[in-house]
């Protein structure tokens, strides 16, 4: 295995530890100095401009972060991941021992893909999806009455729900006429009941997503939905499709109209560009626009191979996050999209980041000596301004912020009020919040004093389209991976969710036993705790 070390075992770490004592003071800069920062600290790519003048950094800090990225071999590890190195592993102990090849799902546009075998599998699945979607459009695949399907129920949980749901919500403006998607994830029966009440089952497909084919919540919801179909006099096999692992219990033509495959080398939270997301997005957007989504992700995957911190956007944002979290001791990060379409994107990033980098051992199996991933949270602006921004501006907890915005709206239906459009007002609010957090405001009245020095960055795009959404997704996936490599942790398993699953299964057995015996539930909980 090639050398992989955490940031604090590098020579660059010593340099950055000295610089952390003198972070740049954002509100004491002269106007000319700020103008220089505005021009100097911006990184442009095909899809976005990343403005980071409001981070507490200097050229010397950036040089140190470049050295850190080089000494931790971040870009080299990213390339190794794309080429099929065993990344999902912890040395010396039992672990999943898997490749990490979600990037292969969108490497279909390259003449020389990084991992040809995995990309070939992605191409085959996309071909099967294309044929399935063509059958829906032609009417060859239809309901019992010969009617076309107009709704798709996406049934999954965790990575099988949050990513596809967030992208669907982001791209509603680009959906095909007469098509919609509904999501059922929570095992809470009220979730399914509320959704099913608003769906004409006879004209709905049900896409059940589980790589293992054994996910308790998903299979429970599938049975609940199957009962609803039976009650309506409909045969579920003619409506249900599966996204699952090859030869899993759900890979069963007797139960499903079609099955599409995802593979072991794709983790759930990185699976949106696999069939987990593409079946749903293909149904709603159409095949060509779904390919545009992949095209955007593929371009960012390529751009992320650039070793220069100052020109590689995902690497730059990752290293700024390392500076804030690992050197300036800021424990959370807020992702604040100024686009209502992205209202579920922070929830997806919360899982993708925290399930990836919320680890306490390194890839050698040793307890780590530093903080791992931050707490990630966020909501769209401008609503958030009237909710939690009070804490961001004047609270005792300093929260680095990552703003996301676009110059143009999706629908481009807008009006002028007092000489400016709603989109201009939205962007103006984004820029104003960024500046206010960074610069603060001096006042003799402590109640109206804003301390400033609240680091933030702005990721600004032209318009949120399917291609740009693919780019945005891949941007954050790469950022998360780079940070995991910096901390030398395994970002690709999720053992932290397993214990709760095991105990829930045991508790269910105890609950059935307690009900039969008339015993108290509290007693059975204590018995389960003793089993841990």
């Amino acid at each position: 295995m090639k050398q992989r070390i955490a940031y604090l075992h590098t020579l660059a770490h010593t340099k950055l530890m000295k610089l952390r004592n003198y972070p740049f003071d954002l509100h004491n800069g002269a106007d000319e100095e700020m103008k220089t920062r505005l021009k100097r600290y911006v990184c442009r790519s095909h899809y976005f401009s990343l403005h980071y003048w409001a981070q507490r950094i200097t050229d010397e800090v950036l040089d140190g972060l470049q050295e850190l990225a080089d000494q931790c071999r971040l870009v080299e590890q990213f390339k190794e991941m794309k080429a099929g190195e065993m990344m999902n592993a912890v040395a010396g102990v039992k672990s999943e021992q898997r490749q990490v090849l979600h990037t292969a799902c969108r490497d279909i546009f390259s003449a020389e893909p990084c991992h040809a075998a995995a990309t070939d599998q992605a191409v085959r699945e996309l071909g099967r999806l294309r044929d399935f979607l063509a059958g829906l459009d032609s009417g060859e695949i239809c309901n019992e009455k010969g009617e076309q399907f107009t709704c798709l129920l996406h049934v999954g949980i965790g990575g099988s729900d949050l990513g596809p749901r967030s992208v669907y919500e982001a791209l509603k403006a680009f959906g095909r006429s007469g098509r919609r998607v509904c999501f059922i994830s929570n095992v809470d029966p009220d979730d399914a009941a509320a959704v099913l009440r608003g769906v004409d089952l006879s004209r709905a497909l049900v896409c059940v997503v589980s790589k293992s084919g054994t996910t308790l919540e998903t299979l429970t919801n599938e049975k609940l939905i199957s009962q609803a179909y039976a009650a309506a006099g409909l045969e579920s096999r003619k409506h249900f499709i599966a996204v699952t692992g090859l030869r899993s219990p759900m890979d069963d033509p007797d139960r499903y109209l079609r099955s599409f495959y995802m593979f072991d080398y794709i983790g759930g939270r990185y699976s949106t560009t696999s069939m987990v997301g593409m079946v749903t997005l293909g149904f709603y957007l159409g095949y060509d626009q779904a390919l545009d989504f992949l095209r955007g992700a593929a371009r960012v995957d390529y751009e992320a191979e650039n070793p220069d911190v100052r020109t590689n956007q995902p690497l730059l944002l990752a290293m700024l996050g390392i500076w804030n979290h690992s050197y300036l001791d800021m424990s959370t990060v807020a992702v604040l999209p100024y686009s209502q379409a992205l209202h579920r994107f922070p929830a997806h990033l919360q899982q993708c980041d925290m399930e990836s980098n919320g680890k306490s051992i390194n890839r050698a199996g040793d307890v780590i000596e530093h903080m791992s991933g931050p707490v990630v949270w966020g909501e769209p602006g401008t609503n958030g301004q009237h909710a939690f921004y009070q804490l961001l501006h004047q609270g005792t907890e300093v929260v680095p912020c990552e703003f996301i915005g676009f110059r143009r709206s999706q629908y481009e239906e807008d009006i002028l009020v007092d000489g400016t459009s709603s989109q201009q007002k939205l962007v103006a609010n984004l820029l104003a919040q960024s500046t206010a957090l960074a610069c603060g405001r001096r006042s003799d009245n402590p109640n109206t004093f804003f301390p400033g020095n609240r680091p933030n960055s702005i990721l600004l795009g032209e318009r949120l389209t399917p291609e740009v959404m693919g780019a945005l997704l891949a941007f954050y996936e790469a950022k998360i991976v780079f940070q995991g490599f910096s901390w030398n942790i395994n970002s690709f398993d999720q053992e932290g969710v397993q214990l709760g699953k095991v105990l829930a299964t045991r508790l269910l057995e105890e609950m059935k036993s307690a009900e039969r015996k008339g015993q108290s539930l509290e007693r059975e909980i204590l018995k389960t705790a003793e089993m841990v």
Side-chain angles (χ1 to χ4, degrees):
M1 181 182 289
K2 299 180 177 69
Q3 185 186 27
R4 296 168 182 172
I5 59 174
Y7 75 98
L8 77 173
H9 298 303
T10 64
L11 293 174
H13 173 65
T14 302
K15 177 179 179 178
L16 290 166
M17 283 298 288
K18 295 177 181 177
L19 293 172
R20 75 192 288 259
N21 296 315
Y22 310 100
F24 183 79
D25 190 340
L26 291 164
H27 51 48
N28 280 345
D31 287 346
E32 288 304 315
E33 186 176 11
M34 283 303 178
K35 288 179 183 178
T36 300
R37 288 181 68 83
L38 285 168
K39 294 177 181 178
R40 187 174 187 82
Y41 295 133
V42 58
C43 175
R44 302 185 191 279
S45 71
H46 182 73
Y47 296 109
F48 306 107
S49 57
L50 176 59
H51 302 263
Y52 60 103
W53 70 270
Q55 295 285 348
R56 301 192 68 184
I57 51 98
T58 61
D59 283 351
E60 193 174 8
V61 171
L62 280 176
D63 290 341
L65 293 173
Q66 177 72 70
E67 293 171 21
L68 187 68
D70 293 341
Q71 290 165 20
C72 288
R73 300 180 57 255
L74 300 188
V75 170
E76 288 87 346
Q77 289 192 68
F78 186 78
K79 290 179 180 179
E80 290 163 9
M81 179 191 78
K82 291 177 68 176
E85 290 276 341
M86 196 71 68
M87 291 292 182
N88 187 354
V90 176
V93 298
K94 184 180 179 181
S95 58
E96 292 181 337
Q97 299 288 328
R98 291 176 182 169
Q99 298 168 303
V100 177
L101 289 169
H102 53 277
T103 54
C105 295
R106 55 259 194 164
D107 207 9
I108 62 173
F109 304 101
S110 172
E112 297 182 5
C114 296
H115 194 284
T119 300
D120 285 346
Q121 288 181 318
V123 169
R124 284 197 295 273
E125 290 306 301
L126 283 169
R128 296 176 65 234
L129 176 61
R130 180 192 60 232
D131 294 343
F132 177 70
L133 296 175
L136 292 177
D137 291 344
S138 68
E140 178 186 349
I141 302 173
C142 58
N143 72 1
E144 292 90 331
K145 297 180 181 179
E147 299 169 324
Q148 289 194 334
F149 293 107
T150 58
C151 179
L152 184 142
L153 286 172
H154 183 109
V155 184
I157 197 165
S160 298
D161 170 77
L162 287 164
R165 188 192 296 247
S166 69
V167 174
Y168 167 74
E169 292 291 336
L171 298 178
K172 276 187 174 179
F174 300 92
R176 298 184 57 184
S177 178
R179 295 269 177 97
R180 69 181 179 120
V181 177
C182 298
F183 292 82
I184 296 175
S185 60
N186 201 326
V187 75
D188 180 346
D190 288 341
D191 184 24
V195 172
L196 293 175
R197 288 188 177 198
V199 172
D200 178 355
L201 297 182
S202 70
R203 303 195 66 179
L205 288 168
V206 180
C207 181
V208 186
V209 184
S210 171
K211 181 164 65 175
S212 67
T214 61
T215 309
L216 174 65
E217 297 93 336
T218 299
L219 295 185
T220 299
N221 279 327
E222 180 185 12
K223 289 179 181 177
L224 191 155
I225 299 166
S226 295
Q227 288 182 3
Y229 269 83
L234 299 168
E235 188 177 345
S236 62
R237 185 193 170 280
K238 296 180 179 179
H239 293 257
F240 282 44
I241 58 179
V243 177
T244 191
L246 186 65
R247 291 185 289 276
S248 89
M250 282 174 50
D251 184 11
D252 183 354
D254 292 331
R255 289 171 56 193
Y256 300 101
L257 181 66
R258 291 288 190 283
S259 290
F260 298 94
Y261 298 124
M262 59 187 299
F263 301 95
D264 276 350
Y265 50 71
I266 300 173
R269 57 193 172 277
Y270 296 100
S271 67
T272 303
T273 53
S274 75
M275 286 298 107
V276 170
M278 293 303 291
V279 171
T280 292
L281 294 176
F283 174 84
Y284 183 67
L285 298 173
Y287 186 72
D288 290 341
Q289 287 195 116
L291 283 188
D292 287 341
F293 172 69
L294 294 182
R295 187 174 289 107
R299 182 156 188 160
V300 170
D301 290 340
Y302 173 75
E303 292 173 349
E305 295 184 7
N306 173 9
D308 183 4
V309 163
R310 287 174 168 84
T311 56
N312 179 338
Q313 288 183 341
L315 180 61
L316 174 58
L317 194 62
M319 299 315 291
L320 292 172
I322 294 290
W323 174 246
N324 288 330
H325 187 62
S326 298
Y327 290 97
L328 301 186
D329 298 327
M330 298 173 187
S331 59
T332 82
V333 60
V335 179
L336 307 171
Y338 274 63
S339 166
Q340 187 59 30
L342 291 173
H343 72 108
R344 292 298 295 165
F345 192 55
H348 169 60
L349 294 183
Q350 188 177 65
Q351 187 212 12
C352 197
D353 198 313
M354 294 172 69
E355 195 169 69
S356 294
N357 292 336
K359 308 292 171 60
S360 56
I361 62 168
N362 61 25
R363 288 185 283 184
D366 301 321
V367 175
I368 59 175
E369 309 165 42
H370 51 80
M371 291 195 300
S372 59
V375 173
V376 179
W377 60 284
E379 285 287 336
T382 58
N383 289 5
Q385 293 175 201
H386 298 272
F388 52 81
Y389 278 38
Q390 169 63 45
L391 184 147
L392 299 183
H393 284 289
Q394 292 183 308
T396 56
E397 181 85 6
V398 177
V399 180
C401 297
E402 297 174 3
F403 293 98
I404 303 171
F406 301 92
R407 296 179 184 87
R408 294 164 52 200
S409 63
Q410 288 184 313
Y411 291 99
E412 299 192 298
E413 298 172 3
D414 208 343
I415 61 170
L416 293 176
V417 176
D418 295 330
T420 58
S421 68
S422 296
Q423 188 68 20
Q424 288 174 316
K425 292 179 176 67
L426 184 67
V427 174
N429 271 276
L430 184 162
L431 298 175
Q433 293 297 324
S434 170
T435 303
L437 286 166
C439 299
R441 183 177 67 185
R442 298 305 185 200
S443 174
D444 293 333
N445 180 350
N447 194 46
T448 58
F449 174 84
F450 288 71
N453 273 330
R454 309 290 169 116
N456 65 85
S457 57
I458 299 172
L459 190 67
L460 191 62
E462 184 64 23
R463 182 169 176 252
L464 184 57
T465 63
E467 186 170 341
V468 171
M469 186 63 221
L472 183 63
L473 181 75
F475 177 103
Y476 269 95
E477 287 178 349
K479 175 211 168 187
I480 291 163
V481 166
F482 282 136
Q483 290 189 336
F485 291 159
S486 297
W487 295 313
N488 193 30
I489 55 182
N490 178 9
S491 299
F492 308 109
D493 67 4
Q494 53 282 330
E495 291 296 330
V497 306
Q498 301 305 323
L499 178 58
K501 288 182 178 181
V502 171
L503 292 182
T505 301
R506 292 177 180 175
L507 267 171
L508 286 171
E509 293 301 318
E510 295 297 333
M511 288 167 71
K512 286 190 288 186
S513 174
E515 187 171 335
R516 287 195 301 268
K517 299 174 184 178
Q519 295 173 339
S520 70
L521 182 59
E522 289 80 3
R523 177 180 172 183
E524 305 310 320
I525 292 174
L526 289 173
K527 286 175 62 178
T528 304
E530 292 172 358
M531 299 177 189
V532 179

